[in-house]
Amino acid sequence: MTKKLLMGNEAFAHAALEAGVRVVAGYPGTPSSELIETVAKLHASGAARGVHVEWSTNEKSALELLAGASYAGARCLFTCKQVGLNVASDPLVSLNYVGVKGGTVLFVADDPGPISSQTEQDTRRFAAFAKMPVLDPSTPDEGFAMMQAAFDLSERYRTPVIVRPTTRINHASTFFDVADATDARPVPEEGFERDPKWIIFPRRAYQAHGEINERLAQIAHDFAHEPAFAAFNPVVEGGATDEGAPRLGIVAGGVSAAYAREALRMVEARAAERGVQVPAYRFWQVGTPYPFPEETAVRFAEGLEQVLVLEELDHVLEDELLKHAGRAHAPYQVKGKLTGDARDRGENDVDDVVARIARFLGMPEAVAADEPLAYDAADDPLPVRPPVLCAGCPHRGSFYAVKRALGKAPAVLCGDIGCYTLGNAMPLDAVDTCLCMGAGITMAQGFAVAEPHKKHVAFVGDSTFFASGLPGIVNAVYNGHDITVCVLDNATTAMTGSQPHPGTGVTLMGPKREPISIERVLEAVGFDCIVHADPLDLEGSVSAAKEALDYEGPSAILFESPCVQLVKPGAPATVDADACTGCKKCITEIGCPGIGFDADARGPKSRERGQAFVDASLCNGCGLCTQVCPFDALGVPTAENSSSEGGSHA
């Protein structure tokens, strides 16, 4: 064993490997991505023996692959973020009815905030919908233990099990004792055994539904009484010890339990400083929210009159306590999101929880201070830092070329999930809609039916093209929709950390496959108009876009240029102070963050208007701005003279 400082996701990877996982598959999505990358790194180094790891084409493909491996008896791990579970929902719900053989754990990372997602959906709700157990860690250490316990629970009851960390757990770091090397559990000698139970006919599904309901009741009992799981649901008492049994209770789940513990410590410390006594209270962390351990709730609620619930994101625990109070005719009142006593969206934090707990305990004055405990954005606003495409991002050229090619023609520009969603921002203003991965292609078809007099354009990244764009492009050909699909091919899955995809040919197991050609896929399904363009060549891109837009029927533009994170930056652009007129077109047309404006600069043509300047620390020399400037005031040094001029750009 070796002690290592690990991010939560890295630790979860080690936990799964130590539990003997044999097959790991998923699709990248912040905040979950590092788990699979850690497994791949350990496999490549020889430390994770016998494991197969892959980025699958999408979440549905990953879970279906794992279902097959599990039926043979292999321990399997699936990874995604909360919206990725939507993509996997079809096999997920059926898999619970069919059951598993090898332990199957779904690592689904929720994103309160949301910090990098299009929704704040709560996977605990999804678990209840799918009738599947879920474990909710409050710290990375607890998540490590939950990951290992989840495999055992899965095999005992032949059910998939969800482990649901949130962003702050995924990305927090602490020290772990981890094995130097791991071996995947071997597939049982008998392997896959043919049996009618693996075939989900309606009659079998009816029987399975009853089995699911029975095992959920058994699992809820285990969560309350079996030491390995009851440890995730601790109940403790605090505050004044001479008041008898507590009348106040606090319930928290996930990372909110960690916030609540810290908040209680702070409240008690500040109360002690002021000579104030904290009333008796009872605290319950719920680490196994579904199926709800109601037998633990009975013990927790005894003698309580009020209960405060703290959780992210939905009022899941709050609902369960309300149901328990109704069934048991218990006298306690539940306070939380539904009553306005807890945040109804986004993340919780320690300062906010301190104020809420102090108010709930009837002692807000005990934590009063010269400075407010809770952060008030109205009192001290943070500087606004809107997200933007990177300096030199090839997507900027793609959007700009399409807008130039369209001119004043009425059009609807459908976006998608990825870096290129940022094409909606000014001055590009090139994304009108964004729903979910792959939807831009099919939404454009809907617009084409409803408003045939307009041009309809769909932007999709190369990774998303394979993940969820394929059904849409087939539908466009099959139904003859007049749309133009712009594939923004930057040779990676850029938004989530530059993971490979089928178009790169790179796999996590080592061998490099022949990259799957997007052009050949489009040809195969029936696209007759396919044009190529380098988005950093403005004139060529505008010409290609016009050709595709003028075509009647499904057409495609392949904008091909690597992500700036994959290439060595060139010499930054320079501004000719004698030629710059201060017109700001380089800024107002493409909005590259590498270009700024100095209102105090003066030149023979700009006079009092100020001049543009290039931030050499950001510019990678893509040259797009030099093609936009109407006065040739911007230039990129050639290879011959950049070395001699390089000192001026440092």
Side-chain angles (χ1 to χ4, degrees):
M1 302 290 283
T2 302
K3 186 178 289 292
K4 292 184 177 181
L5 177 64
L6 299 174
M7 179 193 292
N9 282 342
E10 295 174 317
F12 295 137
H14 281 272
L17 291 168
E18 290 182 24
V21 69
R22 176 163 287 274
V23 187
V24 184
Y27 187 78
T30 305
S32 71
S33 303
E34 294 86 359
L35 192 156
I36 278 189
E37 292 171 341
T38 301
V39 173
K41 186 183 303 182
L42 292 170
H43 170 266
S45 71
R49 298 184 288 253
V51 68
H52 172 88
V53 56
E54 69 172 54
W55 287 124
S56 299
T57 308
N58 64 13
E59 294 88 350
K60 182 177 187 292
S61 301
L63 188 54
E64 290 164 349
L65 176 148
L66 294 171
S70 173
Y71 289 1
R75 281 197 161 184
C76 298
L77 178 64
F78 167 87
T79 80
C80 71
K81 66 187 296 179
Q82 85 280 10
V83 286
L85 198 59
N86 301 337
V87 181
S89 60
D90 194 8
L92 173 66
V93 177
S94 296
L95 182 61
N96 198 28
Y97 274 68
V98 172
V100 300
K101 180 176 179 180
T104 302
V105 175
L106 284 74
F107 178 85
V108 185
D110 281 6
D111 186 26
I115 298 171
S116 61
S117 308
Q118 58 267 49
T119 71
E120 278 197 312
Q121 69 190 61
D122 192 322
T123 295
R124 296 176 301 167
R125 293 284 194 205
F126 211 119
F129 167 71
K131 296 180 178 290
M132 192 173 297
V134 61
L135 308 179
D136 193 14
S138 65
T139 65
D141 306 75
E142 194 171 65
F144 191 97
M146 284 182 173
M147 178 71 81
Q148 295 180 317
F151 282 102
D152 295 333
L153 181 66
S154 175
E155 287 180 352
R156 181 190 309 174
Y157 289 102
R158 292 183 172 264
T159 177
V161 175
I162 295 174
V163 175
R164 178 249 186 189
T166 53
T167 304
R168 302 304 175 185
I169 304 298
N170 294 103
H171 291 165
S173 296
T174 189
F175 285 94
F176 291 86
D177 290 314
V178 294
D180 296 319
T182 59
D183 290 285
R185 284 197 180 188
V187 172
E189 187 175 347
E190 74 279 2
F192 174 68
E193 298 174 290
R194 299 184 67 192
D195 191 301
K197 70 181 181 182
W198 302 122
I199 304 170
I200 190 167
F201 283 124
R203 179 174 176 79
R204 172 61 193 137
Y206 178 81
Q207 294 171 338
H209 195 175
E211 294 167 6
I212 290 171
N213 293 336
E214 290 175 6
R215 75 177 175 232
L216 285 174
Q218 294 171 338
I219 293 171
H221 178 80
D222 289 349
F223 284 169
H225 295 287
E226 186 170 324
F229 295 106
F232 300 140
N233 298 300
V235 177
V236 298
E237 295 190 358
T241 57
D242 56 355
E243 293 184 354
R247 294 178 296 106
L248 302 174
I250 300 169
V251 176
V255 73
S256 297
Y259 297 154
R261 286 196 184 92
E262 176 66 9
L264 285 166
R265 185 195 65 77
M266 293 170 66
V267 168
E268 292 181 342
R270 294 185 183 184
E273 291 173 0
R274 291 163 172 78
V276 180
Q277 192 174 48
V278 176
Y281 65 84
R282 189 176 295 143
F283 174 74
W284 179 24
Q285 176 196 338
V286 183
T288 62
Y290 187 82
F292 186 65
E294 190 155 353
E295 293 171 80
T296 305
V298 172
R299 300 197 300 272
F300 165 77
E302 185 177 356
L304 298 182
E305 296 177 3
Q306 293 188 53
V307 175
L308 174 66
V309 184
L310 301 163
E311 56 187 323
E312 297 172 346
L313 287 152
D314 286 350
H315 41 87
V316 173
L317 302 178
E318 190 174 352
D319 286 351
E320 293 295 342
L321 286 164
L322 287 168
K323 286 190 287 186
H324 169 259
R327 276 194 294 267
H329 303 288
Y332 63 82
Q333 178 186 7
V334 181
K335 296 185 174 184
K337 296 177 183 290
L338 296 174
T339 61
D341 292 284
R343 285 180 174 170
D344 68 345
R345 77 202 81 168
E347 296 184 285
N348 291 324
D349 61 69
V350 174
D351 287 344
D352 181 74
V353 172
V354 165
R356 294 182 188 277
I357 286 180
R359 189 158 52 244
F360 174 70
L361 295 176
M363 48 185 306
E365 72 285 347
V367 296
D370 295 333
E371 296 296 328
L373 284 171
Y375 175 74
D376 188 343
D379 293 340
D380 189 16
L382 291 171
V384 177
R385 186 189 177 201
V388 294
L389 293 169
C390 297
C393 176
H395 298 337
R396 184 175 285 105
S398 303
F399 287 126
Y400 187 63
V402 170
K403 292 289 291 285
R404 284 277 297 269
L406 283 167
K408 295 184 178 181
V412 179
L413 308 175
C414 297
D416 215 299
I417 303 298
C419 298
Y420 46 94
T421 309
L422 299 173
N424 75 311
M426 298 298 288
L428 293 173
D429 191 24
V431 172
D432 297 321
T433 72
C434 182
L435 181 63
C436 62
M437 286 187 68
I441 295 172
T442 30
M443 287 184 69
Q445 297 167 44
F447 282 115
V449 171
E451 299 181 317
H453 60 286
K454 295 182 179 180
K455 293 291 183 180
H456 303 93
V457 181
F459 295 100
V460 65
D462 46 336
S463 181
T464 302
F465 177 88
F466 292 108
S468 52
L470 292 171
I473 67 164
V474 171
N475 194 72
V477 175
Y478 174 57
N479 287 293
H481 293 296
D482 184 14
I483 66 167
T484 297
V485 178
C486 300
V487 182
L488 309 182
D489 186 354
N490 64 357
T492 189
T493 312
M495 186 180 189
T496 54
S498 300
Q499 292 84 7
H501 60 71
T504 69
V506 176
T507 70
L508 294 183
M509 291 299 290
K512 190 176 189 303
R513 312 293 180 189
E514 183 69 24
I516 296 176
S517 166
I518 293 175
E519 180 178 20
R520 290 177 64 184
V521 170
L522 290 168
E523 289 173 345
V525 302
F527 271 69
D528 293 325
C529 178
I530 304 169
V531 296
H532 294 259
D534 175 356
L536 301 181
D537 173 7
L538 180 56
E539 184 178 345
S541 292
V542 172
S543 176
K546 286 181 177 178
E547 180 181 347
L549 289 165
D550 289 342
Y551 183 83
E552 292 187 12
S555 62
I557 312 168
L558 306 186
F559 286 108
E560 298 159 316
S561 183
C563 173
V564 294
Q565 302 298 324
L566 303 181
V567 295
K568 183 179 179 180
T574 58
V575 177
D576 184 344
D578 292 335
C580 180
T581 66
C583 71
K584 298 185 181 178
K585 189 170 184 179
C586 55
I587 297 171
T588 59
E589 292 287 298
I590 58 175
C592 178
I595 306 175
F597 193 79
D598 183 356
D600 296 325
R602 298 291 181 264
K605 294 185 178 179
S606 62
R607 299 184 181 178
E608 305 297 316
R609 288 188 294 271
Q611 291 191 334
F613 68 88
V614 174
D615 186 335
S617 67
L618 293 177
C619 180
N620 75 336
C622 76
L624 182 63
C625 61
T626 68
Q627 302 167 67
V628 172
C629 178
F631 302 104
D632 296 324
L634 282 158
V636 176
T638 62
E640 289 75 21
N641 62 21
S642 62
S643 58
S644 60
E645 297 178 358
S648 63
H649 306 306

